[in-house]
Every structure is written in C-alpha cells, then in structure tokens.
Amino acid sequence: MALLRSIAIPSNKTPTLARTARSLTTATLPPLPYSYDALEPVISSEIMMLHHQKHHQTYVTNYNSALELLHTAMDKGDVSAVIGLQSAVKFNGGGHINHSIFWKNLRPVNAGESEPPHKKLGWQIDADFGSFNALISKMNAEGAALQGSGWVWLAFDKEFNRLKVETTANQDPLVTKGATLVPLLGIDVWEHAYYLQYKNVKVEYLKNIWKVINWEYAGEVYEKEAQ
Amino acid sequence: MAPNWCGCGVASANSAKLSTNGLKLSSNRFNFSKPYPRRAYRVTAYYGLTTPPYELDALEPYMSKRTVEIHWGKHHNEHVEKLNRHLKTSAFYGHTLEEMVKATYNNGSPLVEFNDASSVWSHDFFWESMQPKGGSMPTGGVLDQIEKDFGSFTNFKDEFTFASLSLFGPGWVWLYLKRNEKKLAVAPTQNAISPLVWGDIPIIGLDMWEHAYYLDYKDDRSAYVNNFLDHLVSWHSVMVRMMRAEAFVNLGEPKIPVA
C-alpha cells in the first residue's frame, strides 16, 4: 500500500543515452530464521505472522516505492521532490532495517534456556552496567518510558568502545542516535509488536521477551565490532 | 486524598505558649488567646476519567466492547492518573485542560505534563466524536460549511482518510477550524499533539495509535478509518462544536443552527 501520492512520472522515458546508469537495488523481505509459532508462548504466532508478513512487508514495499520516486526525482533534478521523499525513505527504510535486525535478535523458545551472554560480551556488560540484571532493568525501564512508538537498543559505541542503552522514535534506525553506534539487540516497542497478546501491559511484554532473546547473535556482532 | 493545609491555629494539647503581649499563657487543653479553634483547609481538585456518552458496547461492530474497555479503561485512565500525579507538584495545577495543553506544549519543546494532559483532552474529545449509529452524512449548515471548504463531502472524506494513512508512527487525525482563515481543514498530528497547540479549534478527532484499532482491525488501518467515517463519527457532536466555534470565529454564511 503506497502511502505517497505519486509525483508525476513522464510516460515516455528519457532516451537511453541520456539516462544515468544508476541501478535500483530494491529491498526484499528476509525470511524468518524459525517458524511463526517458534516463540510461543512469549510472542504468539498470530503476532509473528502479522508482524513479519504485514508490517515488515509494508515497510519493504513502501521503501521500494519511495526509492523509485527518489530515483526519478534525482534524475529530473527535482530537489524539492528529493527532499520531500526523505521522511518516507527514513521511515520505511528504517522499518526494514530495524525489523531485519529484530528477527535475528529472537530465537525459538525450544533452543534451550536463554543463556545470559558470557565471554567477552558478558564481561563488557558487567563492566558497563554493573551486572546483567542491571542491563535488563535499564532496557525495560527505557522501553516502558518510551512515549509513542519506537525501539529500545543495546548498542555498542565503536568510538568509545562501550555499550549503551538507547531508544529511537518511530522507525528511526540506531545510527540516528550516533554514527558510531552498532545495534547488538533491538526490542520493538510499537504496539503492534505485543498488543494482541499483552494489550496495554507493555511491561509484561518487556519482561517476557528476554526469554527469547538471541544472545549468541548479539555476541557475534559484538566480537566483530569490538576489535 | 486532598492535602490538608491548616492555615490557622488549631486547639491542641501542646499549643504555643507565648501570646503577643509577652505574657506566658500555658494551657493543657484550651488556647485562651483564641476564643475558638479555627481550621482552614485548602480544597484541591484533580481530573477524573470522563465516561463516554454511550455504553461501552454501543459502538459494535465497528469498535468492539473489548477495545473500548481497554482503550478507555486502561490507556485513557492511565493518562488521567499520570496527569493527576504531575498536578500534585505542577505549576499548571488549576489551569483548565485546554489551557494546560497549549501551555505545556511550550511551542514545540513540550514540558513533562504535556503528553498526559493532551492525551486526556484528546481522548475525551475522541469518545465524544463518536456515537452509536453515527456516520452517514451531516446536514444543514455543517454540510454547507464542509462543501464550502472541501468542495464536496466526498473530498472531505478522501482528505481525512489520506491524512490518517499518511501518519508515520502514532498520532491523530483532525477536522478542525482554522481561526485565521475561518475555514475547516484536515490535518494529521504526531503522538499526542492536537490543533489546540497551534491555537485552532478541533471539530473531529480520530485516534490513529495502534491501540485504538489493532484488536479489531489488526494492521488494516483503512478499514478502521472507513468504518469511523461511515458508521461512528457523530455529526451531532460536530454541529454542537461548530456552534460553539462560531462564538470565536465569524464564519458568515452558511449558518450553523443556533438552538
């Protein structure tokens, strides 16, 4: 579903020679690395299906539309159109980025008890937050306090070599809070992420999601970035 | 529980001992410098949760009882409680809700009270923007004004729908009266913002936060908005609000009925 009124696109394309050779790499919906019911009872299969097949897919579709319009506007040299499309690109592109990370942040319930991170990420967490539980409390508090929609992140700051808890609004990706921030874990606190199951009780969702968090993935990203 | 501020002396067993002329008067039970015990109280008042003007299941099947119970009973209620908690210590205690929304918006750098004050106001407004067996079409002066400002009623519906689907993230969509241009317009707003913050007069408010429709419509926002326009919106409320707005904005023709 395109959210934008189309900017008039000329029906006959510009001659091939005059066209810039810019290729359009569109986004595609990544598959879930597990089945839709794999996170039950923490996150219901109904939510996972809607979240992946509807919400994430819509971000992908609308990002691709915005990208096409952007390319046309750039080709035409239409500066105000280029600027006008920025919010659609940021919102839908951000939604695609954030959710692509999110699916990897989660792992099936039957993959064993959620182990707290150990080795290097575990030590860094202890160093920067005092304890693993302190990190969880902080992320839950930030997630609960977030007004509106957004994400709460465990971020690794490459510049200062330390972990941080950050929140972003709507679908802003983590880099909007700092160019040197790398997302290790993101928790979606948009209402669509939990409402069908948890209704207004966001704190329950935040408390429970730790049972399906994929610390292995977070550890891998961390070890790659923390040289 | 209203705080009890005692302004004047209350008779007690351990009253102050010195009177104004320096004589020491002690007393076990009565303070003879004052003929009778005086108590002064400061009365404080806080906001309550206004009930929608219809039963909680009256908007079925377009808005389920379950949605209204949770939306009103939990979300709206939580904002009222949080607002009251702020007001215990806020400088804005005593303001009307509309004044508070405008003042705490603080021209774009909202103060801590804004989110809850504005949410309380907007949700009250939202419940009253709907009625059972609502929708269909306005009549008389309201219809004339809409046709004047949008071209046609269909144009208004299209604009309203487009605005509601254009939101990135949570927010509201409003039909409101612009004071300066003296005409109706449609606008989406983010999070808890309403036309009150820029000084205009809201006429219809539709909550586009996911909690408003997710249980009934999942991600199908256009079905939610269409049902709101076709079956829920209260043109009676619109008429009453326009009548009130005419006290502030000279609309000239057409005439909204005056009782």
Side-chain angles (χ1 to χ4, degrees):
Chain A
M1 171 183 70
L3 296 180
L4 305 157
R5 285 208 202 281
S6 337
I7 295 170
I9 300 175
S11 54
N12 55 321
K13 297 191 191 291
T14 51
T16 324
L17 283 173
R19 236 177 132 57
T20 53
R22 185 187 299 116
S23 65
L24 195 66
T25 311
T26 51
T28 46
L29 182 69
L32 281 191
Y34 34 75
S35 61
Y36 286 114
D37 61 358
L39 272 51
E40 296 258 16
V42 176
I43 303 180
S44 67
S45 58
E46 192 186 15
I47 288 183
M48 291 305 290
M49 267 179 24
L50 279 163
H51 207 171
H52 183 245
Q53 291 177 355
K54 294 287 171 77
H55 291 276
H56 190 172
Q57 179 65 68
T58 302
Y59 292 127
V60 168
T61 308
N62 291 340
Y63 171 71
N64 291 338
S65 310
L67 205 62
E68 273 211 47
L69 292 171
L70 185 64
H71 274 237
T72 308
M74 280 158 62
D75 278 346
K76 278 166 49 182
D78 188 346
V79 180
S80 36
V82 168
I83 293 172
L85 284 162
Q86 296 306 307
S87 57
V89 168
K90 180 179 176 191
F91 180 72
N92 292 297
H96 174 49
I97 291 174
N98 294 340
H99 286 87
S100 301
I101 297 171
F102 189 49
W103 309 133
K104 293 192 262 197
N105 286 157
L106 302 171
R107 91 233 188 311
V109 160
N110 61 19
E113 265 303 309
S114 174
E115 279 186 30
H118 44 275
K119 292 189 291 192
K120 297 163 78 177
L121 178 55
W123 299 334
Q124 181 93 50
I125 288 177
D126 287 342
D128 291 333
F129 296 102
S131 72
F132 176 67
N133 286 333
L135 167 63
I136 305 300
S137 304
K138 184 159 191 238
M139 283 188 77
N140 287 350
E142 297 271 342
L146 200 150
Q147 286 172 6
S149 299
W151 291 74
V152 58
W153 302 95
L154 172 61
F156 177 66
D157 190 335
K158 286 197 289 195
E159 190 185 350
F160 295 105
N161 241 299
R162 51 176 298 146
L163 298 171
K164 289 181 74 177
V165 170
E166 279 289 353
T167 55
T168 52
N170 297 337
Q171 292 298 350
D172 294 354
L174 182 60
V175 291
T176 57
K177 280 288 174 94
T180 56
L181 294 177
V182 175
L184 301 182
L185 284 183
I187 299 181
D188 190 349
V189 287
W190 279 65
E191 284 167 334
H192 64 239
Y194 61 87
Y195 208 79
L196 290 178
Q197 195 177 342
Y198 293 91
K199 314 293 188 301
N200 64 307
V201 195
K202 187 164 53 161
V203 292
E204 268 303 298
Y205 161 71
L206 288 169
K207 205 176 76 167
N208 282 325
I209 200 171
W210 296 104
K211 299 177 189 162
V212 289
I213 287 290
N214 187 351
W215 284 110
E216 221 180 288
Y217 170 76
E220 280 166 19
V221 177
Y222 169 75
E223 288 185 26
K224 202 174 71 160
E225 297 292 341
Q227 298 311 347
Chain B
M1 181 93 159
N4 179 348
W5 289 29
C6 275
C8 298
V10 173
S12 78
N14 300 313
S15 305
K17 300 298 188 270
L18 276 169
S19 72
T20 48
N21 62 10
L23 281 178
K24 196 170 160 201
L25 300 170
S26 71
S27 153
N28 283 334
R29 289 187 62 194
F30 297 105
N31 184 344
F32 289 106
S33 61
K34 292 185 170 58
Y36 54 85
R38 288 175 63 201
R39 291 182 177 83
Y41 295 91
R42 179 167 163 226
V43 178
T44 53
Y46 296 97
Y47 286 95
L49 180 65
T50 320
T51 314
Y54 35 76
E55 296 290 335
L56 299 189
D57 61 354
L59 301 179
E60 299 251 10
Y62 309 105
M63 189 176 286
S64 68
K65 178 182 184 200
R66 193 171 64 137
T67 293
V68 178
E69 275 178 342
I70 298 176
H71 195 175
W72 173 71
K74 304 270 183 208
H75 291 273
H76 185 175
N77 193 26
E78 202 190 318
H79 284 299
V80 172
E81 290 180 350
K82 282 162 80 171
L83 174 63
N84 287 338
R85 250 176 274 150
H86 286 307
L87 288 179
K88 282 186 166 35
T89 50
S90 169
F92 295 98
Y93 172 84
H95 281 51
T96 65
L97 206 45
E98 280 194 33
E99 290 171 348
M100 206 186 314
V101 168
K102 184 131 192 247
T104 54
Y105 181 68
N106 197 23
N107 290 314
S109 308
L111 308 176
V112 69
E113 300 93 336
F114 174 74
N115 186 54
D116 295 307
S118 187
S119 296
V120 170
W121 189 92
S122 297
H123 280 90
D124 283 342
F125 193 79
F126 175 52
W127 303 122
E128 290 164 13
S129 296
M130 297 188 288
Q131 65 172 76
K133 305 221 182 351
S136 70
M137 278 188 66
T139 54
V142 172
L143 181 59
D144 290 344
Q145 188 71 43
I146 286 182
E147 287 176 339
K148 182 167 169 232
D149 295 333
F150 291 95
S152 72
F153 182 65
T154 315
N155 282 355
F156 153 71
K157 286 213 292 185
D158 287 346
E159 248 192 75
F160 193 87
T161 307
F162 180 77
S164 61
L165 300 179
S166 74
L167 271 165
F168 289 158
W172 293 71
V173 63
W174 306 89
L175 172 68
Y176 67 103
L177 183 63
K178 295 172 126 171
R179 280 184 209 257
N180 292 336
E181 288 94 327
K182 302 190 202 325
K183 57 185 295 194
L184 290 172
V186 162
T189 56
Q190 294 207 313
N191 291 353
I193 295 172
S194 77
L196 291 181
V197 313
W198 65 77
D200 282 333
I201 304 176
I203 302 291
I204 297 175
L206 174 59
D207 191 347
M208 291 304 297
W209 284 59
E210 283 173 330
H211 63 240
Y213 61 85
Y214 213 81
L215 295 179
D216 296 334
Y217 295 94
K218 311 280 190 317
D219 68 314
D220 193 353
R221 291 190 299 167
S222 53
Y224 167 62
V225 179
N226 287 335
N227 277 343
F228 172 80
L229 285 171
D230 292 339
H231 300 287
L232 291 177
V233 65
S234 170
W235 291 112
H236 172 80
S237 292
V238 169
M239 182 187 74
V240 168
R241 289 163 179 172
M242 291 287 290
M243 281 167 59
R244 177 183 171 272
E246 278 197 302
F248 301 93
V249 179
N250 182 357
L251 289 175
E253 292 294 332
K255 299 264 183 292
I256 311 294
V258 175

